[in-house]
Amino acid sequence: MIRLESVSRVYAIGGGLRVLDRADIEVRENDYVGIVGPSGSGKSTLLHILGMLDRPTEGRYLFRGRDVSRLEDDERSRLRGRSIGFVFQSFHLIPQVTVMENVEVPLFYQQVHHRERQERAIRALDRVGLSHRRDHRPGELSGGERQRAAIARALVSDPELILADEPTGNLDQQTGRQILNLFDELHSQGRTVVMITHDRSIADRMPRCYKIVDGRVSLERDT
């Protein structure tokens, strides 16, 4: 599904700050991949490139054999909207609207009809066990419920790939385990999941794991 070939990201700071250094990564269909590294190692930069939110300075990013690093911005945006669901540490829910309206947001940008948006949002909320809270606002939910809402939003477009960035970072240990169990379940149902984390115990749950240190990526485990 994904192949990064000698991908680097260099920012024009001073003489050039190399945040990602010639990374080679492969993500196959129905993979469950962890990318583990300490704060400041380049994880966020790597996530932005994998999610087509940023472009490599060097190298190629192939998504299903297509070099997406060369696409125009509008093409990348359309492909990203159809193919990738994002789950972030800080949830990024809109506080002024209901849970269901938050889940509908990706479909709104894809110009899906109102009734279909609602039907798909309800199905996504059912899938994460949160349909009973669909008319609440994010501020009325627990941390675990907010993350479930964020996962439902990631699922509503039926993406090929789920990218999760420290999805348990703002949760207590018990709630974090519940969220990780949900990701395990999604993977068992055929989803391709890439999870970025600084937590070694989380990375150890995943069959394949890459390590990133000072912008350099290496395959640590492939079982």
Side-chain angles (χ1 to χ4, degrees), residues 5 23-24 39-40 114 149 156 161 186 200 206 220:
E5 298 178 346
D24 293 303
S39 177
H114 175 66
V156 75
L161 171 68
L186 292 171
R200 169 59 58 184
M206 289 148 208
E220 190 173 72

Side-chain angles (χ1 to χ4, degrees), residues 9-20 45 48 54 57:
R9 184 65 174 96
V10 182
Y11 293 97
I13 301 173
L17 178 62
R18 185 174 289 268
V19 178
L20 195 61
T45 298
H48 288 165
D54 195 5
T57 308

Side-chain angles (χ1 to χ4, degrees), residues 5-176:
E5 298 178 346
S6 297
V7 163
S8 297
R9 184 65 174 96
V10 182
Y11 293 97
I13 301 173
L17 178 62
R18 185 174 289 268
V19 178
L20 195 61
D21 190 10
R22 291 167 290 182
D24 293 303
I25 290 178
E26 182 178 88
V27 178
R28 301 169 297 221
E29 193 87 30
N30 195 32
D31 258 351
Y32 198 8
V33 179
I35 299 176
V36 64
S39 177
S41 60
K43 298 193 304 297
S44 294
T45 298
L46 179 57
L47 175 84
H48 288 165
I49 288 176
L50 289 172
M52 304 183 205
L53 298 168
D54 195 5
R55 296 177 185 269
T57 308
E58 305 162 359
R60 297 201 306 163
Y61 175 12
L62 304 177
F63 190 91
R64 295 205 176 280
R66 187 181 188 188
D67 188 356
V68 298
S69 54
R70 304 289 181 259
L71 296 180
E72 297 294 330
D73 287 343
D74 58 344
E75 288 184 272
R76 286 162 55 87
S77 180
R78 284 194 295 271
L79 181 59
R80 181 172 63 241
R82 291 194 310 267
S83 303
I84 302 176
F86 295 89
V87 180
F88 297 101
Q89 176 178 345
S90 298
F91 318 132
H92 294 318
L93 299 173
I94 303 168
Q96 297 87 356
V97 302
T98 67
V99 167
M100 191 161 87
E101 289 168 330
N102 267 281
V103 174
E104 289 180 48
V105 164
L107 302 179
F108 176 82
Y109 287 110
Q110 294 175 34
Q111 300 182 327
V112 175
H113 187 270
H114 175 66
R115 181 164 184 166
E116 184 181 347
R117 289 204 309 266
Q118 289 187 322
E119 291 172 350
R120 290 171 64 175
I122 290 170
R123 287 199 299 270
L125 286 166
D126 278 338
R127 193 164 188 181
V128 301
L130 204 61
S131 57
H132 64 294
R133 302 286 268 168
R134 68 191 190 193
D135 294 324
H136 290 72
R137 296 183 190 273
E140 299 171 311
L141 306 184
S142 69
E145 288 173 330
R146 289 197 291 271
Q147 193 59 289
R148 285 178 181 271
I151 293 170
R153 182 184 57 197
L155 293 173
V156 75
S157 300
D158 195 26
E160 300 174 80
L161 171 68
I162 298 174
L163 284 179
D165 184 16
E166 304 278 8
T168 64
N170 283 339
L171 304 175
D172 62 76
Q173 192 171 30
Q174 180 179 351
T175 305

Side-chain angles (χ1 to χ4, degrees), residues 20 33-46 89 164-166 195-204 206 209-218 220:
L20 195 61
V33 179
I35 299 176
V36 64
S39 177
S41 60
K43 298 193 304 297
S44 294
T45 298
L46 179 57
Q89 176 178 345
D165 184 16
E166 304 278 8
M195 187 177 298
I196 290 179
T197 181
H198 70 277
D199 190 327
R200 169 59 58 184
S201 66
I202 292 176
D204 287 345
M206 289 148 208
C209 184
Y210 287 91
K211 179 172 66 175
I212 179 168
V213 178
D214 294 333
R216 292 183 175 270
V217 178
S218 58
E220 190 173 72

